[in-house]
Amino acid sequence: MVAWIVALIAVAVAIWSATRTYQARREAYGASARVELTERQAKAAEARTLALTEEIRQLARKRIPAAATALSHRSAPVPGLREASGIEGDAARLLTEAVQAARTAVLEERGRVDAAARSAMRGTSAKIQSLLNQSQHLLHELQHEYDDPRILQLDFRNELALRRTQATAVLCDAWPGLARQNSPLVEVVLGAQSRVPGYERIKVANHLRQERLALVARAAEPLAIALAELLANATAYSHPDTEVPVTVQQTAGRGALILVDDAGIGMDDDALERARTLLAGPSEVLLTELGDPPQTGFAVVGRLIARYGFSCHIESSPYGGMRAMLRIPAHLLTVIDDDRTLSVLAPKPVRALPAEAADAGHGAGVEPAAPGPAEPVDASAPEAVVPAPAVPAPAGPDGASGEAAPPAGLPTRRRRSRRAASPEAPADRQRAAEEEPGLRTPERAGAAWAALQQGTLSGRNAPATPPQAPPESPSDDQGDET
């Protein structure tokens, strides 16, 4: 009996020991699993911390600088999150918000800096423009007193500097600085031509139906500034040996159109899109977005377009370069009085077809071609295209003309050759001038220049008189303001 009791006790102890051992093993295994899980969690937290640190480093070194660069260069890439799988939730959202906040802060600071720069340049431009206008008046006085071609060169360079100053002032939202009366459109075009280097390459063709078509006073100088910028681009980006044809014509909607063509290098797609954006007249153009050195031509035209209501479009030109089309709406146009004398330098309107020829063409079912860019007749060229006379040529003794007369109104090519001097030539030219005062021919232009040169030569050969001191100009005592 005692043996059985001892055996049972031993069995119970063995069972209890086995149970305790099993429980201890389970607890040890659970503790090991918990330690391993803790280690894995620690490693994951360390990896996330490292990834977040790298993202913050990339945010400071790459993403924010790239976002600031993209404000000026729209094609510049802005990198995103470095490890999208490692950064999620609030961390990724906060990093993106940090980039947006930096972009906003940069824009605000650029706006403040640009406004301060515009204000400083606006004041400086006004002072420089005033001084250049004073210099221009002094040069005009010297031109009347001294016959020195260098004064003309100085006057032209002063005009170039004045144009650049006006363009800078307009870009800084300033007034153009010059008030005009109602001005003939062709004279405004000639005025813009005179402000451009290489003006002798610009050939103006007048296709206006109304010779006295003019710009209203408030739009005359702004349009001259805009056209001068377009002409400057055309001459600067084309070969010096090529011409820049300019065509002035009226549109069907009672407006006017100025075409400027060049045979230059053209523009790629990105530059063309950027130019069209500037010409659309955006509400604000930052000075820092114009490049280094700044290219202000289209930006100036865009500012004037937004302020005065005309428009401009550029496209590829049939001459190989670019074509700028400056459209003037009807409310900016007027007609000046007949008693006002037009400039003798303004080209006369080119008639594509006389009235009789146009009526005949319509009767025959032929539509007249619209006038395109044309070039004025050059008296020094060996050949020139001149409009054929509307009246028939005089017949010879045998009742027929020496050459077959071309159809009335169509342009024909005539070779110019030197004519033998005859005593009747001056009298014939004078009589022709009296009979047709409104017709301008190369012979009349040559005779006028010959008379001018003869008068200049006779004036130089006259006995010299003691030079007199030039009258003191009231602008001489005006110094710089501080």
Side-chain angles (χ1 to χ4, degrees):
M1 189 68 185
V2 175
W4 281 101
I5 294 174
V6 172
L8 289 174
I9 293 173
V11 170
V13 171
I15 293 174
W16 179 77
S17 297
T19 303
R20 292 295 301 272
T21 303
Y22 177 75
Q23 290 178 351
R25 288 180 179 177
R26 287 189 60 182
E27 290 177 359
Y29 178 78
S32 176
R34 287 193 298 271
V35 170
E36 184 178 358
L37 177 61
T38 303
E39 291 179 353
R40 287 199 302 267
Q41 290 177 350
K43 290 181 180 179
E46 184 179 359
R48 286 195 299 270
T49 302
L50 181 61
L52 183 59
T53 303
E54 292 297 327
E55 288 295 340
I56 294 175
R57 183 178 292 110
Q58 183 181 6
L59 177 69
R61 295 181 178 179
K62 295 182 179 180
R63 295 184 66 187
I64 291 179
T69 303
L71 296 177
S72 301
H73 306 279
R74 302 182 185 278
S75 59
V78 179
L81 293 175
R82 183 171 175 269
E83 296 180 3
S85 59
I87 303 298
E88 297 178 353
D90 293 340
R93 179 177 56 81
L94 291 175
L95 289 173
T96 303
E97 289 180 358
V99 175
Q100 296 296 334
R103 187 195 303 268
T104 303
V106 170
L107 284 176
E108 293 177 354
E109 185 62 23
R110 286 178 59 183
R112 287 192 293 267
V113 172
D114 193 83
R118 286 175 184 271
S119 178
M121 293 179 62
R122 188 161 52 242
T124 304
S125 300
K127 181 59 180 176
I128 295 176
Q129 188 172 355
S130 176
L131 294 175
L132 290 175
N133 285 328
Q134 296 174 20
S135 300
Q136 191 175 48
H137 288 303
L138 290 175
L139 289 172
H140 289 173
E141 293 177 4
L142 292 176
Q143 290 177 23
H144 289 290
E145 295 178 11
Y146 302 100
D147 189 8
D148 191 341
R150 292 176 297 180
I151 300 179
L152 295 177
Q153 298 177 7
L154 287 174
D155 184 47
F156 178 64
R157 282 160 177 76
N158 185 82
E159 188 69 30
L160 295 182
L162 185 59
R163 180 180 71 85
R164 296 308 313 150
T165 306
Q166 278 186 305
T168 304
V170 169
L171 191 60
C172 296
D173 299 326
W175 181 59
L178 183 63
R180 289 193 181 194
Q181 299 177 348
N182 294 344
S183 302
L185 180 57
V186 179
E187 293 185 7
V188 172
V189 174
L190 294 180
Q193 176 186 358
S194 66
R195 306 179 185 185
V196 177
Y199 60 90
E200 66 279 354
R201 296 168 46 201
I202 302 174
K203 308 300 180 183
V204 181
N206 183 1
H207 289 280
L208 295 177
R209 298 188 297 271
Q210 294 175 300
E211 184 178 4
R212 293 184 171 272
L213 188 69
L215 285 164
V216 296
R218 66 182 182 88
E221 184 63 17
L223 186 76
I225 297 174
L227 182 57
E229 293 297 326
L230 297 177
L231 293 176
N233 283 343
T235 55
Y237 291 98
S238 59
H239 196 274
D241 294 337
T242 60
E243 294 182 349
V244 178
V246 177
T247 306
V248 186
Q249 60 187 31
Q250 291 180 254
T251 60
R254 297 177 60 189
L257 181 66
I258 302 176
L259 303 179
V260 179
D261 291 279
D262 66 79
I265 59 178
M267 304 173 69
D268 56 26
D269 294 338
D270 293 338
L272 183 59
E273 181 181 359
R274 173 63 175 165
R276 286 176 175 172
T277 302
L278 292 175
L279 290 175
S283 59
E284 183 178 8
V285 178
L286 296 178
L287 299 179
T288 53
E289 296 179 349
L290 300 179
D292 185 17
Q295 298 178 353
T296 61
F298 291 135
V300 171
V301 178
R303 300 303 295 169
L304 293 171
I305 286 174
R307 191 178 305 176
Y308 293 97
F310 50 89
S311 62
C312 183
H313 176 74
I314 56 173
E315 61 184 19
S316 299
S317 171
Y319 291 83
M322 301 302 298
R323 164 176 286 182
M325 296 179 288
L326 196 60
R327 294 185 178 90
I328 308 169
H331 69 272
L332 296 180
L333 296 174
T334 184
V335 178
I336 60 175
D337 299 332
D338 295 339
D339 56 353
R340 180 172 173 179
T341 304
L342 300 178
S343 173
V344 295
L345 299 178
K348 294 295 182 181
V350 177
R351 304 301 184 200
L353 286 176
E356 296 82 2
D359 295 340
H362 285 295
V366 179
E367 292 292 337
E375 299 180 358
V377 176
D378 190 356
S380 61
E383 296 183 355
V385 177
V386 296
V391 296
D398 53 353
S401 59
E403 297 179 356
L410 295 178
T412 180
R413 189 174 295 278
R414 183 181 67 185
R415 181 174 297 278
R416 304 188 187 281
S417 59
R418 293 185 176 275
R419 299 180 179 178
S422 61
E424 294 82 10
D428 294 342
R429 286 197 297 267
Q430 183 177 2
R431 184 166 53 254
E434 294 177 354
E435 292 176 356
E436 298 179 355
L439 180 63
R440 177 178 295 183
T441 62
E443 289 78 12
R444 291 187 61 190
W449 278 109
L452 177 61
Q453 293 176 356
Q454 183 65 26
T456 303
L457 183 60
S458 61
R460 290 178 178 176
N461 295 334
T465 58
Q468 298 179 358
E472 182 178 357
S473 174
S475 59
D476 290 340
D477 56 352
Q478 296 182 3
D480 294 336
E481 295 179 0
T482 58

